[in-house]
Amino acid sequence: MSSNHTLAFERRCRRLGVFAAVVAGSILVLDPVMWFLPGLAADTARGWGGLSDDQTITLTAGVLWTSFALSLLCLVIPARGLLVVRGLCNRLAAGKVFEPETGLLLRRFGVTLLIYACVSPFFASAIGFLVTVHNPPGSRILTFALTGEEALNAVIGLLILLMGSILAEAARLAEENRQIV
Amino acid sequence: MPVVVNLDIMLAKRKMRSKELAELVGITEANVSLLKSGHVKGVRFETLARICAALNCQPGDLLEYRPDGDDGTAAGGAA
């Protein structure tokens, strides 16, 4: 690999790492904006809860803050995953491609994606219930939905976890082989 | 580990330096040092054969098995 190619690769990795960190930060900053900017809270609540536009919701202060807290807690998971991606990009930029720790970081990202796919429907259900709990009896809603998006996230998370495990094991074997003269 | 590498003894007997052995065997001087100190996980038969040819000795002259493993210069074993 020429030094020009290496430098270009290093630059690309560092930029990708920065991009991942910016997206992680944006997710966590935009969430409160969506909940507390006037006029957006109702749409945000319906979006999170999987409710239609004509569905009545009751956003008291307590419901608003609790729903926001739940959504933020849910979003911490993918944000954490993106920070793992940043760490991965920094390792790649430093030339630490074929090392066990790189595989472990990839595994960690896969696990994060898998966890997010598994828990996000529960957060959505909780928020959907919260924003309708103060509705008149008969119009409270408790839903649980598993969409193709969650299934896809779970599959991709599993694949990345598997790839990370393979990379970590391959790097471990390579390291072991290096110690055989 | 109970397998001890006596490469330093053989090098002294044959009055050969590590660098010379490394060149004859086709491995790096660093690997020869690791081999002498026993800090390797294993030795390929091909490498062992080349070392024996270079030092005009038998594998038994280079490798020794001590069950209690009380010597610090121990290696992982032949690969």
Side-chain angles (χ1 to χ4, degrees):
Chain A
M1 201 187 279
S2 71
S3 60
N4 282 343
H5 182 88
T6 307
L7 279 172
F9 177 74
E10 182 185 331
R11 251 197 315 268
R12 265 200 305 272
C13 288
R14 292 211 188 276
R15 279 181 196 154
L16 201 57
V18 168
F19 177 70
V22 165
V23 172
S26 302
I27 287 173
L28 298 176
V29 163
L30 284 175
D31 188 50
V33 169
M34 299 296 285
W35 281 103
F36 294 105
L37 208 61
L40 288 181
D43 289 334
T44 304
R46 287 195 175 92
W48 268 98
L51 306 171
S52 59
D53 289 343
D54 56 352
Q55 180 60 49
T56 307
I57 61 174
T58 310
L59 282 178
T60 64
V63 166
L64 188 65
W65 277 97
T66 310
S67 302
F68 158 66
L70 282 174
S71 69
L72 194 64
L73 196 61
C74 184
L75 289 175
V76 159
I77 302 170
R80 179 74 185 95
L82 286 168
L83 290 179
V84 170
V85 169
R86 185 188 69 161
L88 193 55
C89 290
N90 287 344
R91 282 194 72 86
L92 295 178
K96 298 174 183 176
V97 179
F98 199 53
E99 293 186 7
E101 292 77 17
T102 306
L104 290 175
L105 276 178
L106 202 57
R107 267 181 55 106
R108 203 174 293 167
F109 177 65
V111 166
T112 307
L113 202 55
L114 193 56
I115 290 173
Y116 180 65
C118 293
V119 304
S120 58
F122 293 95
F123 280 96
S125 291
I127 291 172
F129 175 70
L130 266 176
V131 299
T132 59
V133 75
H134 292 296
N135 285 358
S139 57
R140 294 166 192 156
I141 293 180
L142 177 63
T143 62
F144 184 79
L146 281 174
T147 67
E149 188 183 325
E150 279 84 34
L152 192 61
N153 283 342
V155 167
I156 292 173
L158 268 172
L159 281 173
I160 292 175
L161 196 157
L162 189 62
M163 277 166 33
S165 300
I166 291 170
L167 181 62
E169 181 62 13
R172 189 191 65 78
L173 287 171
E175 178 61 33
E176 207 170 275
N177 274 339
R178 270 195 287 272
Q179 294 181 33
I180 296 175
V181 297
Chain B
M1 292 298 267
V3 175
V4 174
V5 179
N6 295 321
L7 183 59
D8 48 351
I9 296 172
M10 284 311 301
L11 280 171
K13 279 185 181 176
R14 299 291 184 259
K15 295 182 177 56
M16 190 184 290
R17 291 188 174 177
S18 300
K19 186 177 177 181
E20 193 183 339
L21 180 67
E23 284 168 9
L24 285 171
V25 172
I27 60 176
T28 62
E29 203 176 333
N31 278 345
V32 171
S33 298
L34 286 172
L35 198 50
K36 278 197 316 189
S37 62
H39 292 128
V40 291
K41 284 223 183 295
V43 182
R44 293 186 180 87
F45 284 128
E46 187 185 343
T47 306
L48 190 57
R50 285 181 185 172
I51 293 173
C52 290
L55 295 177
N56 190 25
C57 66
Q58 291 293 315
D61 297 325
L62 295 169
L63 302 173
E64 185 184 343
Y65 175 68
R66 291 182 195 170
D68 44 349
D70 56 355
D71 192 305
T73 56

